[in-house]
Amino acid sequence: MPILGNLDRPEPRWQAILALIAVGGIYTALPRELSVGPRWLLFAVVITLLVPTVIAHRTGRHSLNHLLGIINNSVITAALVVSVALLVAGLPSHKEAPRSLLLSGASLWLTNVLTFALWYWRLDGGGPFDRHRRGAYGSRAFLFPQMQVEPSERNALGIEKWSPSFVEYLFISFNTSAAFSPSDTPVLQRWAKLLNIGQSLISLTIVAVLVSRAVGVL
């Protein structure tokens, strides 16, 4: 069994944990019309799944950790899709005030960014543990700019030991939601391209709803 003190090296996982908790927290603030069941339900499910996920990681049960992480991501993705669908369905009725609609749309857009960042981080190269075990850059789904630097120049740029962390996947996710493309990082594998398409569609739907409501108000 790996030494527990080295399990978070070189890639810390607290950033992904905070992202999961943030998604659950955002849902507690959404209007009741945009959630199925109590608004605290998703937060409770996320925490309930997060505890055994962390324990599995700390005890070296990496396959279980990976599976629980995928289940948690699936739960928040399903909640996101349902909430966006309810947002679109409620647009013709104009029941929600413009300010409340704007806050709801912004909250769901941020949730979209965090949710897909968690997917990219969890799946790329088999997950954080496999990326660490494999060594080198670890990524298989994305061609990060650091991976394109000549070996002779990596030391001068301070990236000789670089490997992608959650922040890199968050950056890709933000760009995909904001510009509907991953910006400076080409996508290599099909599953990642499909996730990019799904994320862009969700982001475009949210933006279209907000624009439509704004036009209706004007």
Side-chain angles (χ1 to χ4, degrees), residues 60-193:
R61 296 177 173 88
H62 302 293
S63 297
L64 178 60
N65 170 269
H66 189 67
L67 175 61
L68 291 172
I70 289 176
I71 293 174
N72 219 341
N73 286 1
S74 300
V75 169
I76 62 175
T77 303
L80 171 64
V81 172
V82 169
S83 293
V84 172
L86 292 174
L87 182 71
V88 174
L91 183 63
S93 64
H94 300 293
K95 291 181 179 180
E96 197 167 358
R99 182 176 181 274
S100 178
L101 181 66
L102 178 62
L103 292 175
S104 298
S107 298
L108 291 176
W109 188 89
L110 178 59
T111 300
N112 189 38
V113 172
L114 295 175
T115 297
F116 281 88
L118 286 164
W119 274 119
Y120 302 141
W121 174 81
R122 174 61 65 182
L123 296 180
D124 186 23
F129 176 72
D130 282 353
R131 289 195 299 270
H132 174 37
R133 180 176 58 181
R134 189 181 300 113
Y137 287 138
S139 178
R140 292 292 182 268
F142 303 97
L143 186 61
F144 291 98
Q146 291 89 339
M147 298 167 63
Q148 305 176 53
V149 176
E150 292 293 331
S152 58
E153 300 177 0
R154 291 171 187 168
N155 186 52
L157 295 175
I159 59 172
E160 68 277 4
K161 296 182 179 180
W162 178 90
S163 62
S165 65
F166 182 76
V167 172
E168 275 73 34
Y169 298 106
L170 181 63
F171 181 73
I172 292 174
S173 185
F174 179 86
N175 288 334
T176 301
S177 284
F180 311 117
S181 71
S183 187
D184 65 345
T185 307
V187 184
L188 304 179
Q189 294 191 359
R190 292 174 182 172
W191 67 262
K193 293 178 180 180

